[in-house]
Structures are given as C-alpha cells and as structure tokens.
DNA sequence: TACCCGTGGCA
DNA sequence: TTGCCAAGGGT
C-alpha cells in the first residue's frame, strides 16, 4: 500500500512512475467500512425486495429524492409484487400510481419493462447487463445498478453521486463535468474492485457516500472516511471552474403545463372533457402543444368527442 | 451533443 | 423569494 505523497521530482532510478491515482484499495476499504455502519435502511436494500424491488426503486429514484420515493415504492410493490402483476394492468394505471413523483414517462417505461420481462424473460428480471439495457427506461446507469445491487455483479455504477465523489477525491475538482465523459467511465472501471462481491459493495458504498457526506452543497468532510486523501480537499477545495449547469426553469414551461394536465387526468375516474383540461392553463397555443405532447408520448389517450383519459393500451 | 422531460424541499 | 438540487433516459 504505497501512497506516493509527492511526485518524485528527480528519480534516481528508471523505475516506472507510480500510478498517479491513489491505490484503489486505499479508497475501497474505508468507504466500504463506513458504509457498513452508516448505510441507510432503505426498503429496496432489504433482501425481501428482490430484483424487482431493486428495479422499481431505480426507476423511481431517477432524478428524484429518496424521501419522496419511499411511500410510492411501498404502495407500488404491495400492489404489483411481481413484474407480471404490473404487466397485466393498463399503462395508465402505472401513470396514476406514479402520483406526483415527476417525469411520468418513467411510469410508462416501467410498465413497458414489466411487459417485456413477462414476455421475454418468463417474468423474472434478467440478470444480464445487455438484457437489462434492452428494456425501456433502462440506460447504462440503471442496468449496472440492477445487475450490481440485485445480483451482486461487478459493474461500474456511475451515477451523479459517484461522479461527484470521484471528481473530488480523485480529480480534485468540486463538481464533475455536466455530461458524463469517457474519462469518467474509464476511471470508474479502473477503480472497480476485482472481486465481484467487493465491487458490488463498493458501488453501493461510494454512491451512499455521495448522497450523505460528499453532497453537492454543504459537504461534511469531517464525516468522510477518505477526507485525508481527497484531492479536492487537499488542494484547499477550490471553487468550481467552467460552465455552470444550465439553470432549469420551470414556471411557465411546457413541463409545468403537462404536469397540470396530467394531474387532472390522474385524479379523474371517467374520461375528462376538453373544457375541463382547458381550465388548467390560459394560453391556448401552449396548452394545445402540451396536450399534444402528452398524447404523442403515450401518457394521454384521446377519445372521440373531445374526451381524454390515461391510456388503456 | 444539447435539450427535453416533473416535482417539491430547502437555503 | 429565487435558484439549486435530486440513484437518468431518450432522441
């Protein structure tokens, strides 16, 4: 465990330069150890959650805080304990049960994934990364997360938390780039423990560290198990350089209008007349564009006579 | 690649 | 109050 504190400015020998990054185990051991005592007791981490529970949680947690997911997750798993249970429902029921989690297309994709699992995988969440990746709503992150968390496999699980931990601890910057880079993926693979079980724990532990300690704002380095080797902290925590993340406006956008329209339809039992939807937004062009978008996304089903409802097919 | 896609808590 | 942020995916 040689930890080169400084680059050798005048090496006397021709020995190869040590790797510039800290040895991997110097990060793994303290982070995994910290995780064992500080991990939150979340329902999708319990054994009874199973692969389906893990997968549902990953869909819900995309861009959504844990505290908001918890109650919806519990209701979802109680109602649809297996993929086939969800698959036999109309997609609109998934959208309705999604409630106010946001990004309701995720509900549609989760329903589509349940249908695909039922048809193509005998009702069991597939183990293979490539098969997971082929399901709707599952990208690189979620495929790796399900394979790692549900099946204990060795995958680089690179979410926003892990990217921030790596940016600080290894790269010495406050924040990662706006979009995930090839260099980040390469680093994540290089830091992945060889052993499958250790790799799986490392994935969960590094993510939890980013979520609880190495947070975007008000990080608590005093609680960090690798503060002593954090490149950003050792450099005096320099402020972020480069382009700020694009501000995400919401008020007045199509997203807000879509949200208002869908909220009406979620609460309605019977098909809703156009005139009722018209009351949620006074600007007719934007209102029509938002409704058209919901229809083309499959989130809303238009019926004859100017009626709308959540989709039955 | 850059942009679109919801919602609500918090400083 | 306003801006920032939250376990991304699809196009």
């Amino acid at each position: 465990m040689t930890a080169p504190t400084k680059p050798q400015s005048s090496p006397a020998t021709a020995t190869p330069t040590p790797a510039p990054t800290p040895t991997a185990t110097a990060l793994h051991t303290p982070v995994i150890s910290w995780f064992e005592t500080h991990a939150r007791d979340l329902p999708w981490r319990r054994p009874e959650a199973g692969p389906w529970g893990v997968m549902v949680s990953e869909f819900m947690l995309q861009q959504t805080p844990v505290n908001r997911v918890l109650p919806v997750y519990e209701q979802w798993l109680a109602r649809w304990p297996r993929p086939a249970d969800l698959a036999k429902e109309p997609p609109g029921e998934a959208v309705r049960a999604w409630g106010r989690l946001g990004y309701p297309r995720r509900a549609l994709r989760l329903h589509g994934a349940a249908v695909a699992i039922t048809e193509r995988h005998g009702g069991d969440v597939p183990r293979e990364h490539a098969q997971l990746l082929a399901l709707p709503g599952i990208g690189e992150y979620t495929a790796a997360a399900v394979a790692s968390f549900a099946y204990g496999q060795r995958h680089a699980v690179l979410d926003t938390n892990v990217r921030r931990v790596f940016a600080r601890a290894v790269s010495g910057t406050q924040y990662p780039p706006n979009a995930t880079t090839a260099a980040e993926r390469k680093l994540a693979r290089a830091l992945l423990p060889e052993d499958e079980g250790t790799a799986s724990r490392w994935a969960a532990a590094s993510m939890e560290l980013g979520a609880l300690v190495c947070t975007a704002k008000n990080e608590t380095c005093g609680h960090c198990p690798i503060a002593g080797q954090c490149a950003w902290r050792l450099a005096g925590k320099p402020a972020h350089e480069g382009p700020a993340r694009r501000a995400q406006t919401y008020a007045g956008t199509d997203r807000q209008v879509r949200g208002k329209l869908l909220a009406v339809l979620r609460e309605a039992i019977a098909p809703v007349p156009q005139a009722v939807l018209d009351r949620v937004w006074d600007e007719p062009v934007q209102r029509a564009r938002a409704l058209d978008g919901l229809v083309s996304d499959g989130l809303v089903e238009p019926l004859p006579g100017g009626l709308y409802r959540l989709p039955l097919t």
Side-chain angles (χ1 to χ4, degrees), chain A residues 102-166:
Chain A
Y103 292 143
R105 291 190 294 191
R106 293 182 293 167
L108 224 44
R109 291 172 183 149
L110 180 53
H111 179 270
V115 171
I117 287 169
T118 304
E119 294 176 349
R120 305 206 294 259
H121 302 290
D124 294 320
V125 175
R127 298 178 155 271
E128 294 299 319
H129 182 279
Q131 294 181 322
L132 289 163
L133 197 57
L135 297 173
I138 294 192
E140 178 57 42
Y141 161 76
T142 304
V146 173
S148 181
F149 301 155
Y151 294 119
Q153 294 173 19
R154 182 178 181 273
H155 291 281
V157 181
L158 197 56
D159 79 321
T160 187
N161 292 304
V162 176
R163 294 181 63 219
R164 188 173 54 249
V165 169
F166 288 176

Side-chain angles (χ1 to χ4, degrees), chain A residues 167-215:
Chain A
R168 293 176 181 172
V170 179
S171 307
T173 62
Q174 187 178 18
Y175 297 119
N178 280 335
T180 306
T181 63
E184 287 182 275
R185 284 187 274 269
K186 181 179 179 181
L187 175 63
R189 289 194 300 270
L191 290 179
L192 201 56
E194 288 299 324
D195 172 68
E196 188 177 50
T198 309
S200 174
R201 283 188 287 277
W202 162 249
S206 55
M207 192 177 309
E208 189 80 335
L209 186 65
L212 297 184
V213 173
C214 193
T215 46

Side-chain angles (χ1 to χ4, degrees), chain A residues 50-70:
Chain A
W52 173 239
V54 171
M55 182 174 145
V56 169
S57 77
E58 291 301 336
F59 271 76
M60 292 183 174
L61 288 164
Q62 291 168 3
Q63 301 285 284
T64 307
V66 165
N67 285 340
R68 199 175 315 159
V69 165
L70 284 168

